[in-house]
Amino acid sequence: MTVKSTPFNMVTAHKQYSEMTDMPSAQRAKVDDMYPTRLATAPVALTQPRRDAVVKGRDLSGPLSQEQLNEFERNGFLFIPNLISGEELSALCQEMSELMNNDTYRDKEFSVTEPASHEIRSLFAVHKLSKRFEKLAKDERLAGAARQIIGDDPYVHQSRINYKPGFAGKGFNWHSDFETWHAEDGMPHMHAVSASLILTDNHEFNGPLMLIPGSHLEFVPCLGETPEDNHKSSLKAQEVGVPSPEVLTTLVEKHGIKAPKGKAGGLLLFDCNTLHASNANLSPDPRSNVFFVFNRPDNRCVKPFAAPKQRPDFLAHGPEQG
Ligand code: 6CS
Ligand code: FE
């Protein structure tokens, strides 16, 4: 691999600073790159220690108990079964199918299809497309939990529906979301949490999310520079910004793999740096979830730390938009 003279390669990654993109210059802060990644040559150490606390708002109001916060801190995720049920859940499922079947969203950049078919795999910015999902993003059961974890009132950095139809839905390779958001969106610190509400039953055969407990405490720098417009292929199948089989083997030997399963209406909260993946859905049952990424306002994105240019807004909203 050759080292190019762009500011995005290994040579400059360690001393790379980013500036706030949309603030007057007087207010611009220099932000240090705490987590160099997308390296041109293999790093000496396979992982770096995390440099940000995991739970930052223990004393703030919210729905989670101290025990639940402890579990989140230890494992990097927390599954809350049956958070939503009955008519409230049916209304959310109905909303999801209306959005997924809305033909005006077809062929839009924010609706991502499977690598080898026209089936929608992910629909982004759903809190902007739907009042019901906008309300859900502000719901104290989700946003309050995020507040307790990240230590401030959150904004929505990204939202999406992931949909895996029976027999046809493909999987997601192992990755840390933070690695992508840091490299490609300029998220400075690990102060974000994902809340994924499952809208179908998740069982072992329909491609539930798998996580490596404890992996959130280590950052895995990834090899390979970010190609131009990487998101156009990475959202279908991520190839850049994924840990090597060697690192994954070590981490799984150390921590194992967990796949929380349950009825529709369960909520999975997971840290932005927890390694996760999912298999294809070879069962007849669809598997879907609606997913909000909550970020701390003082951790708003700056310039990408390791990509040629900013990704579109639908992948990374700012605090004013989110
Ligand atoms: O690109 C994103 O923001 C999200 N999508 C993928 C496939 N990986 C990173 C992150 O979860
Ligand atoms: Fe992810």
PDB file of all heavy atoms in Angstrom, residues 243-279:
ATOM      1  N   PRO A 243     -12.249  -4.597  11.610  1.00  0.00           N
ATOM      2  CA  PRO A 243     -11.070  -5.203  12.240  1.00  0.00           C
ATOM      3  C   PRO A 243     -10.625  -6.464  11.486  1.00  0.00           C
ATOM      4  O   PRO A 243     -11.455  -7.130  10.863  1.00  0.00           O
ATOM      5  CB  PRO A 243     -11.558  -5.581  13.639  1.00  0.00           C
ATOM      6  CG  PRO A 243     -12.822  -4.831  13.857  1.00  0.00           C
ATOM      7  CD  PRO A 243     -13.417  -4.592  12.505  1.00  0.00           C
ATOM      8  N   SER A 244      -9.352  -6.784  11.584  1.00  0.00           N
ATOM      9  CA  SER A 244      -8.830  -7.974  10.900  1.00  0.00           C
ATOM     10  C   SER A 244      -9.344  -9.236  11.603  1.00  0.00           C
ATOM     11  O   SER A 244      -9.672  -9.208  12.801  1.00  0.00           O
ATOM     12  CB  SER A 244      -7.303  -7.964  10.948  1.00  0.00           C
ATOM     13  OG  SER A 244      -6.883  -8.111  12.295  1.00  0.00           O
ATOM     14  N   PRO A 245      -9.386 -10.363  10.876  1.00  0.00           N
ATOM     15  CA  PRO A 245      -9.770 -11.637  11.501  1.00  0.00           C
ATOM     16  C   PRO A 245      -8.901 -11.953  12.723  1.00  0.00           C
ATOM     17  O   PRO A 245      -9.389 -12.493  13.719  1.00  0.00           O
ATOM     18  CB  PRO A 245      -9.544 -12.667  10.393  1.00  0.00           C
ATOM     19  CG  PRO A 245      -9.629 -11.894   9.120  1.00  0.00           C
ATOM     20  CD  PRO A 245      -9.124 -10.514   9.429  1.00  0.00           C
ATOM     21  N   GLU A 246      -7.637 -11.547  12.659  1.00  0.00           N
ATOM     22  CA  GLU A 246      -6.701 -11.799  13.762  1.00  0.00           C
ATOM     23  C   GLU A 246      -7.159 -11.080  15.051  1.00  0.00           C
ATOM     24  O   GLU A 246      -7.234 -11.681  16.127  1.00  0.00           O
ATOM     25  CB  GLU A 246      -5.331 -11.270  13.313  1.00  0.00           C
ATOM     26  CG  GLU A 246      -4.180 -11.564  14.209  1.00  0.00           C
ATOM     27  CD  GLU A 246      -2.951 -10.750  13.804  1.00  0.00           C
ATOM     28  OE1 GLU A 246      -3.016  -9.926  12.864  1.00  0.00           O
ATOM     29  OE2 GLU A 246      -1.913 -10.940  14.465  1.00  0.00           O
ATOM     30  N   VAL A 247      -7.496  -9.798  14.925  1.00  0.00           N
ATOM     31  CA  VAL A 247      -7.947  -9.036  16.112  1.00  0.00           C
ATOM     32  C   VAL A 247      -9.273  -9.595  16.612  1.00  0.00           C
ATOM     33  O   VAL A 247      -9.481  -9.760  17.818  1.00  0.00           O
ATOM     34  CB  VAL A 247      -8.148  -7.533  15.787  1.00  0.00           C
ATOM     35  CG1 VAL A 247      -8.455  -6.745  17.040  1.00  0.00           C
ATOM     36  CG2 VAL A 247      -6.953  -6.947  15.094  1.00  0.00           C
ATOM     37  N   LEU A 248     -10.180  -9.884  15.662  1.00  0.00           N
ATOM     38  CA  LEU A 248     -11.490 -10.398  16.067  1.00  0.00           C
ATOM     39  C   LEU A 248     -11.358 -11.722  16.811  1.00  0.00           C
ATOM     40  O   LEU A 248     -12.028 -11.954  17.821  1.00  0.00           O
ATOM     41  CB  LEU A 248     -12.390 -10.574  14.837  1.00  0.00           C
ATOM     42  CG  LEU A 248     -12.903  -9.262  14.232  1.00  0.00           C
ATOM     43  CD1 LEU A 248     -13.512  -9.496  12.855  1.00  0.00           C
ATOM     44  CD2 LEU A 248     -13.929  -8.601  15.155  1.00  0.00           C
ATOM     45  N   THR A 249     -10.460 -12.580  16.322  1.00  0.00           N
ATOM     46  CA  THR A 249     -10.255 -13.873  16.984  1.00  0.00           C
ATOM     47  C   THR A 249      -9.797 -13.652  18.425  1.00  0.00           C
ATOM     48  O   THR A 249     -10.316 -14.261  19.367  1.00  0.00           O
ATOM     49  CB  THR A 249      -9.214 -14.707  16.205  1.00  0.00           C
ATOM     50  OG1 THR A 249      -9.669 -14.820  14.863  1.00  0.00           O
ATOM     51  CG2 THR A 249      -9.037 -16.092  16.800  1.00  0.00           C
ATOM     52  N   THR A 250      -8.838 -12.751  18.593  1.00  0.00           N
ATOM     53  CA  THR A 250      -8.323 -12.471  19.942  1.00  0.00           C
ATOM     54  C   THR A 250      -9.435 -11.935  20.850  1.00  0.00           C
ATOM     55  O   THR A 250      -9.588 -12.373  21.996  1.00  0.00           O
ATOM     56  CB  THR A 250      -7.193 -11.408  19.867  1.00  0.00           C
ATOM     57  OG1 THR A 250      -6.299 -11.801  18.851  1.00  0.00           O
ATOM     58  CG2 THR A 250      -6.472 -11.240  21.175  1.00  0.00           C
ATOM     59  N   LEU A 251     -10.211 -10.994  20.324  1.00  0.00           N
ATOM     60  CA  LEU A 251     -11.257 -10.389  21.160  1.00  0.00           C
ATOM     61  C   LEU A 251     -12.361 -11.386  21.497  1.00  0.00           C
ATOM     62  O   LEU A 251     -12.862 -11.404  22.620  1.00  0.00           O
ATOM     63  CB  LEU A 251     -11.847  -9.152  20.462  1.00  0.00           C
ATOM     64  CG  LEU A 251     -10.911  -7.943  20.415  1.00  0.00           C
ATOM     65  CD1 LEU A 251     -11.477  -6.841  19.522  1.00  0.00           C
ATOM     66  CD2 LEU A 251     -10.666  -7.385  21.822  1.00  0.00           C
ATOM     67  N   VAL A 252     -12.719 -12.244  20.536  1.00  0.00           N
ATOM     68  CA  VAL A 252     -13.777 -13.220  20.811  1.00  0.00           C
ATOM     69  C   VAL A 252     -13.270 -14.297  21.779  1.00  0.00           C
ATOM     70  O   VAL A 252     -14.012 -14.749  22.653  1.00  0.00           O
ATOM     71  CB  VAL A 252     -14.345 -13.820  19.501  1.00  0.00           C
ATOM     72  CG1 VAL A 252     -15.310 -14.959  19.798  1.00  0.00           C
ATOM     73  CG2 VAL A 252     -15.054 -12.747  18.690  1.00  0.00           C
ATOM     74  N   GLU A 253     -11.986 -14.660  21.663  1.00  0.00           N
ATOM     75  CA  GLU A 253     -11.421 -15.611  22.641  1.00  0.00           C
ATOM     76  C   GLU A 253     -11.517 -15.047  24.052  1.00  0.00           C
ATOM     77  O   GLU A 253     -11.806 -15.747  25.010  1.00  0.00           O
ATOM     78  CB  GLU A 253      -9.942 -15.877  22.313  1.00  0.00           C
ATOM     79  CG  GLU A 253      -9.752 -17.053  21.382  1.00  0.00           C
ATOM     80  CD  GLU A 253      -8.325 -17.187  20.888  1.00  0.00           C
ATOM     81  OE1 GLU A 253      -7.421 -16.473  21.396  1.00  0.00           O
ATOM     82  OE2 GLU A 253      -8.114 -17.998  19.969  1.00  0.00           O
ATOM     83  N   LYS A 254     -11.274 -13.742  24.139  1.00  0.00           N
ATOM     84  CA  LYS A 254     -11.262 -13.078  25.438  1.00  0.00           C
ATOM     85  C   LYS A 254     -12.672 -12.858  25.995  1.00  0.00           C
ATOM     86  O   LYS A 254     -12.931 -13.077  27.178  1.00  0.00           O
ATOM     87  CB  LYS A 254     -10.569 -11.720  25.242  1.00  0.00           C
ATOM     88  CG  LYS A 254     -10.026 -11.054  26.460  1.00  0.00           C
ATOM     89  CD  LYS A 254      -8.958 -10.050  26.019  1.00  0.00           C
ATOM     90  CE  LYS A 254      -9.073  -8.736  26.724  1.00  0.00           C
ATOM     91  NZ  LYS A 254      -8.263  -7.680  26.093  1.00  0.00           N
ATOM     92  N   HIS A 255     -13.584 -12.429  25.121  1.00  0.00           N
ATOM     93  CA  HIS A 255     -14.888 -11.950  25.621  1.00  0.00           C
ATOM     94  C   HIS A 255     -16.096 -12.767  25.191  1.00  0.00           C
ATOM     95  O   HIS A 255     -17.181 -12.584  25.728  1.00  0.00           O
ATOM     96  CB  HIS A 255     -15.150 -10.525  25.121  1.00  0.00           C
ATOM     97  CG  HIS A 255     -14.111  -9.515  25.485  1.00  0.00           C
ATOM     98  ND1 HIS A 255     -13.894  -9.093  26.777  1.00  0.00           N
ATOM     99  CD2 HIS A 255     -13.235  -8.812  24.725  1.00  0.00           C
ATOM    100  CE1 HIS A 255     -12.939  -8.174  26.785  1.00  0.00           C
ATOM    101  NE2 HIS A 255     -12.524  -8.000  25.551  1.00  0.00           N
ATOM    102  N   GLY A 256     -15.964 -13.581  24.141  1.00  0.00           N
ATOM    103  CA  GLY A 256     -17.127 -14.310  23.615  1.00  0.00           C
ATOM    104  C   GLY A 256     -18.032 -13.430  22.759  1.00  0.00           C
ATOM    105  O   GLY A 256     -17.698 -12.271  22.470  1.00  0.00           O
ATOM    106  N   ILE A 257     -19.159 -14.001  22.361  1.00  0.00           N
ATOM    107  CA  ILE A 257     -20.146 -13.279  21.542  1.00  0.00           C
ATOM    108  C   ILE A 257     -21.512 -13.445  22.207  1.00  0.00           C
ATOM    109  O   ILE A 257     -21.839 -14.523  22.690  1.00  0.00           O
ATOM    110  CB  ILE A 257     -20.236 -13.874  20.114  1.00  0.00           C
ATOM    111  CG1 ILE A 257     -18.909 -13.704  19.357  1.00  0.00           C
ATOM    112  CG2 ILE A 257     -21.366 -13.220  19.316  1.00  0.00           C
ATOM    113  CD1 ILE A 257     -18.895 -14.338  17.960  1.00  0.00           C
ATOM    114  N   LYS A 258     -22.292 -12.370  22.229  1.00  0.00           N
ATOM    115  CA  LYS A 258     -23.667 -12.451  22.754  1.00  0.00           C
ATOM    116  C   LYS A 258     -24.632 -11.945  21.679  1.00  0.00           C
ATOM    117  O   LYS A 258     -24.297 -11.013  20.927  1.00  0.00           O
ATOM    118  CB  LYS A 258     -23.812 -11.546  23.999  1.00  0.00           C
ATOM    119  CG  LYS A 258     -23.187 -12.142  25.249  1.00  0.00           C
ATOM    120  CD  LYS A 258     -24.245 -12.888  26.018  1.00  0.00           C
ATOM    121  CE  LYS A 258     -23.814 -13.850  27.095  1.00  0.00           C
ATOM    122  NZ  LYS A 258     -22.547 -13.820  27.699  1.00  0.00           N
ATOM    123  N   ALA A 259     -25.806 -12.540  21.609  1.00  0.00           N
ATOM    124  CA  ALA A 259     -26.844 -12.064  20.684  1.00  0.00           C
ATOM    125  C   ALA A 259     -28.152 -11.958  21.456  1.00  0.00           C
ATOM    126  O   ALA A 259     -28.854 -12.952  21.632  1.00  0.00           O
ATOM    127  CB  ALA A 259     -27.000 -13.014  19.504  1.00  0.00           C
ATOM    128  N   PRO A 260     -28.468 -10.759  21.977  1.00  0.00           N
ATOM    129  CA  PRO A 260     -29.717 -10.615  22.729  1.00  0.00           C
ATOM    130  C   PRO A 260     -30.903 -10.901  21.812  1.00  0.00           C
ATOM    131  O   PRO A 260     -30.947 -10.420  20.689  1.00  0.00           O
ATOM    132  CB  PRO A 260     -29.732  -9.141  23.153  1.00  0.00           C
ATOM    133  CG  PRO A 260     -28.367  -8.616  22.886  1.00  0.00           C
ATOM    134  CD  PRO A 260     -27.742  -9.487  21.845  1.00  0.00           C
ATOM    135  N   LYS A 261     -31.803 -11.728  22.272  1.00  0.00           N
ATOM    136  CA  LYS A 261     -32.975 -12.077  21.467  1.00  0.00           C
ATOM    137  C   LYS A 261     -34.232 -11.777  22.267  1.00  0.00           C
ATOM    138  O   LYS A 261     -34.190 -11.664  23.480  1.00  0.00           O
ATOM    139  CB  LYS A 261     -32.934 -13.565  21.111  1.00  0.00           C
ATOM    140  CG  LYS A 261     -31.996 -13.858  19.948  1.00  0.00           C
ATOM    141  CD  LYS A 261     -31.453 -15.260  19.949  1.00  0.00           C
ATOM    142  CE  LYS A 261     -30.200 -15.325  20.797  1.00  0.00           C
ATOM    143  NZ  LYS A 261     -29.545 -16.617  20.823  1.00  0.00           N
ATOM    144  N   GLY A 262     -35.350 -11.650  21.583  1.00  0.00           N
ATOM    145  CA  GLY A 262     -36.581 -11.392  22.317  1.00  0.00           C
ATOM    146  C   GLY A 262     -37.698 -10.973  21.403  1.00  0.00           C
ATOM    147  O   GLY A 262     -37.549 -10.930  20.184  1.00  0.00           O
ATOM    148  N   LYS A 263     -38.805 -10.672  22.048  1.00  0.00           N
ATOM    149  CA  LYS A 263     -40.015 -10.261  21.335  1.00  0.00           C
ATOM    150  C   LYS A 263     -39.848  -8.856  20.783  1.00  0.00           C
ATOM    151  O   LYS A 263     -39.070  -8.056  21.318  1.00  0.00           O
ATOM    152  CB  LYS A 263     -41.181 -10.218  22.340  1.00  0.00           C
ATOM    153  CG  LYS A 263     -41.586 -11.574  22.825  1.00  0.00           C
ATOM    154  CD  LYS A 263     -42.795 -12.037  22.041  1.00  0.00           C
ATOM    155  CE  LYS A 263     -43.008 -13.521  22.109  1.00  0.00           C
ATOM    156  NZ  LYS A 263     -43.136 -14.204  20.842  1.00  0.00           N
ATOM    157  N   ALA A 264     -40.623  -8.562  19.764  1.00  0.00           N
ATOM    158  CA  ALA A 264     -40.701  -7.185  19.261  1.00  0.00           C
ATOM    159  C   ALA A 264     -41.019  -6.250  20.421  1.00  0.00           C
ATOM    160  O   ALA A 264     -41.773  -6.618  21.322  1.00  0.00           O
ATOM    161  CB  ALA A 264     -41.769  -7.093  18.184  1.00  0.00           C
ATOM    162  N   GLY A 265     -40.406  -5.071  20.413  1.00  0.00           N
ATOM    163  CA  GLY A 265     -40.648  -4.106  21.488  1.00  0.00           C
ATOM    164  C   GLY A 265     -39.513  -4.045  22.502  1.00  0.00           C
ATOM    165  O   GLY A 265     -39.511  -3.199  23.377  1.00  0.00           O
ATOM    166  N   GLY A 266     -38.530  -4.951  22.359  1.00  0.00           N
ATOM    167  CA  GLY A 266     -37.346  -4.890  23.228  1.00  0.00           C
ATOM    168  C   GLY A 266     -36.399  -3.791  22.742  1.00  0.00           C
ATOM    169  O   GLY A 266     -36.376  -3.466  21.550  1.00  0.00           O
ATOM    170  N   LEU A 267     -35.648  -3.223  23.679  1.00  0.00           N
ATOM    171  CA  LEU A 267     -34.714  -2.146  23.312  1.00  0.00           C
ATOM    172  C   LEU A 267     -33.285  -2.588  23.609  1.00  0.00           C
ATOM    173  O   LEU A 267     -32.981  -3.012  24.725  1.00  0.00           O
ATOM    174  CB  LEU A 267     -35.019  -0.878  24.131  1.00  0.00           C
ATOM    175  CG  LEU A 267     -34.120   0.322  23.816  1.00  0.00           C
ATOM    176  CD1 LEU A 267     -34.476   0.932  22.462  1.00  0.00           C
ATOM    177  CD2 LEU A 267     -34.230   1.398  24.901  1.00  0.00           C
ATOM    178  N   LEU A 268     -32.426  -2.451  22.618  1.00  0.00           N
ATOM    179  CA  LEU A 268     -31.003  -2.718  22.821  1.00  0.00           C
ATOM    180  C   LEU A 268     -30.263  -1.387  22.815  1.00  0.00           C
ATOM    181  O   LEU A 268     -30.326  -0.642  21.827  1.00  0.00           O
ATOM    182  CB  LEU A 268     -30.467  -3.621  21.691  1.00  0.00           C
ATOM    183  CG  LEU A 268     -28.972  -3.899  21.755  1.00  0.00           C
ATOM    184  CD1 LEU A 268     -28.631  -4.807  22.936  1.00  0.00           C
ATOM    185  CD2 LEU A 268     -28.469  -4.520  20.460  1.00  0.00           C
ATOM    186  N   LEU A 269     -29.599  -1.098  23.925  1.00  0.00           N
ATOM    187  CA  LEU A 269     -28.732   0.085  23.980  1.00  0.00           C
ATOM    188  C   LEU A 269     -27.309  -0.412  23.826  1.00  0.00           C
ATOM    189  O   LEU A 269     -26.911  -1.355  24.524  1.00  0.00           O
ATOM    190  CB  LEU A 269     -28.873   0.775  25.341  1.00  0.00           C
ATOM    191  CG  LEU A 269     -30.250   1.356  25.669  1.00  0.00           C
ATOM    192  CD1 LEU A 269     -30.379   1.620  27.167  1.00  0.00           C
ATOM    193  CD2 LEU A 269     -30.475   2.650  24.874  1.00  0.00           C
ATOM    194  N   PHE A 270     -26.548   0.155  22.901  1.00  0.00           N
ATOM    195  CA  PHE A 270     -25.147  -0.270  22.827  1.00  0.00           C
ATOM    196  C   PHE A 270     -24.210   0.896  22.575  1.00  0.00           C
ATOM    197  O   PHE A 270     -24.513   1.839  21.863  1.00  0.00           O
ATOM    198  CB  PHE A 270     -24.930  -1.440  21.853  1.00  0.00           C
ATOM    199  CG  PHE A 270     -25.252  -1.199  20.398  1.00  0.00           C
ATOM    200  CD1 PHE A 270     -24.243  -1.013  19.465  1.00  0.00           C
ATOM    201  CD2 PHE A 270     -26.563  -1.192  19.958  1.00  0.00           C
ATOM    202  CE1 PHE A 270     -24.531  -0.829  18.121  1.00  0.00           C
ATOM    203  CE2 PHE A 270     -26.872  -1.001  18.614  1.00  0.00           C
ATOM    204  CZ  PHE A 270     -25.855  -0.812  17.701  1.00  0.00           C
ATOM    205  N   ASP A 271     -23.070   0.803  23.226  1.00  0.00           N
ATOM    206  CA  ASP A 271     -22.056   1.836  23.158  1.00  0.00           C
ATOM    207  C   ASP A 271     -21.558   1.975  21.715  1.00  0.00           C
ATOM    208  O   ASP A 271     -21.498   0.997  20.968  1.00  0.00           O
ATOM    209  CB  ASP A 271     -20.892   1.445  24.091  1.00  0.00           C
ATOM    210  CG  ASP A 271     -19.781   2.463  24.059  1.00  0.00           C
ATOM    211  OD1 ASP A 271     -19.881   3.453  24.799  1.00  0.00           O
ATOM    212  OD2 ASP A 271     -18.810   2.288  23.280  1.00  0.00           O
ATOM    213  N   CYS A 272     -21.161   3.205  21.369  1.00  0.00           N
ATOM    214  CA  CYS A 272     -20.737   3.464  19.983  1.00  0.00           C
ATOM    215  C   CYS A 272     -19.507   2.672  19.570  1.00  0.00           C
ATOM    216  O   CYS A 272     -19.243   2.528  18.377  1.00  0.00           O
ATOM    217  CB  CYS A 272     -20.486   4.964  19.805  1.00  0.00           C
ATOM    218  SG  CYS A 272     -19.229   5.625  20.914  1.00  0.00           S
ATOM    219  N   ASN A 273     -18.752   2.155  20.533  1.00  0.00           N
ATOM    220  CA  ASN A 273     -17.527   1.424  20.168  1.00  0.00           C
ATOM    221  C   ASN A 273     -17.634  -0.088  20.381  1.00  0.00           C
ATOM    222  O   ASN A 273     -16.637  -0.803  20.254  1.00  0.00           O
ATOM    223  CB  ASN A 273     -16.339   1.993  20.960  1.00  0.00           C
ATOM    224  CG  ASN A 273     -15.011   1.444  20.475  1.00  0.00           C
ATOM    225  OD1 ASN A 273     -14.752   1.395  19.269  1.00  0.00           O
ATOM    226  ND2 ASN A 273     -14.170   0.996  21.395  1.00  0.00           N
ATOM    227  N   THR A 274     -18.801  -0.592  20.715  1.00  0.00           N
ATOM    228  CA  THR A 274     -18.945  -2.041  20.895  1.00  0.00           C
ATOM    229  C   THR A 274     -18.918  -2.730  19.524  1.00  0.00           C
ATOM    230  O   THR A 274     -19.689  -2.357  18.627  1.00  0.00           O
ATOM    231  CB  THR A 274     -20.275  -2.351  21.610  1.00  0.00           C
ATOM    232  OG1 THR A 274     -20.298  -1.621  22.830  1.00  0.00           O
ATOM    233  CG2 THR A 274     -20.411  -3.840  21.896  1.00  0.00           C
ATOM    234  N   LEU A 275     -18.055  -3.716  19.377  1.00  0.00           N
ATOM    235  CA  LEU A 275     -17.986  -4.433  18.091  1.00  0.00           C
ATOM    236  C   LEU A 275     -19.242  -5.267  17.908  1.00  0.00           C
ATOM    237  O   LEU A 275     -19.673  -5.974  18.832  1.00  0.00           O
ATOM    238  CB  LEU A 275     -16.748  -5.327  18.053  1.00  0.00           C
ATOM    239  CG  LEU A 275     -15.418  -4.586  17.902  1.00  0.00           C
ATOM    240  CD1 LEU A 275     -14.248  -5.546  18.114  1.00  0.00           C
ATOM    241  CD2 LEU A 275     -15.308  -3.910  16.539  1.00  0.00           C
ATOM    242  N   HIS A 276     -19.828  -5.187  16.711  1.00  0.00           N
ATOM    243  CA  HIS A 276     -21.057  -5.929  16.434  1.00  0.00           C
ATOM    244  C   HIS A 276     -21.128  -6.330  14.973  1.00  0.00           C
ATOM    245  O   HIS A 276     -20.404  -5.782  14.129  1.00  0.00           O
ATOM    246  CB  HIS A 276     -22.287  -5.115  16.861  1.00  0.00           C
ATOM    247  CG  HIS A 276     -22.397  -3.782  16.191  1.00  0.00           C
ATOM    248  ND1 HIS A 276     -21.636  -2.702  16.554  1.00  0.00           N
ATOM    249  CD2 HIS A 276     -23.153  -3.355  15.155  1.00  0.00           C
ATOM    250  CE1 HIS A 276     -21.923  -1.674  15.781  1.00  0.00           C
ATOM    251  NE2 HIS A 276     -22.845  -2.050  14.908  1.00  0.00           N
ATOM    252  N   ALA A 277     -22.007  -7.288  14.704  1.00  0.00           N
ATOM    253  CA  ALA A 277     -22.174  -7.827  13.349  1.00  0.00           C
ATOM    254  C   ALA A 277     -23.509  -8.540  13.325  1.00  0.00           C
ATOM    255  O   ALA A 277     -24.151  -8.718  14.369  1.00  0.00           O
ATOM    256  CB  ALA A 277     -21.052  -8.825  13.047  1.00  0.00           C
ATOM    257  N   SER A 278     -23.960  -8.954  12.141  1.00  0.00           N
ATOM    258  CA  SER A 278     -25.128  -9.839  12.104  1.00  0.00           C
ATOM    259  C   SER A 278     -25.070 -10.710  10.864  1.00  0.00           C
ATOM    260  O   SER A 278     -24.453 -10.349   9.861  1.00  0.00           O
ATOM    261  CB  SER A 278     -26.437  -9.045  12.164  1.00  0.00           C
ATOM    262  OG  SER A 278     -26.575  -8.236  11.025  1.00  0.00           O
ATOM    263  N   ASN A 279     -25.704 -11.875  10.982  1.00  0.00           N
ATOM    264  CA  ASN A 279     -25.745 -12.827   9.876  1.00  0.00           C
ATOM    265  C   ASN A 279     -26.903 -12.512   8.942  1.00  0.00           C
ATOM    266  O   ASN A 279     -27.818 -11.771   9.291  1.00  0.00           O
ATOM    267  CB  ASN A 279     -25.930 -14.243  10.436  1.00  0.00           C
ATOM    268  CG  ASN A 279     -24.641 -14.763  11.037  1.00  0.00           C
ATOM    269  OD1 ASN A 279     -23.567 -14.582  10.455  1.00  0.00           O
ATOM    270  ND2 ASN A 279     -24.739 -15.402  12.187  1.00  0.00           N
TER     271      ASN A 279
END
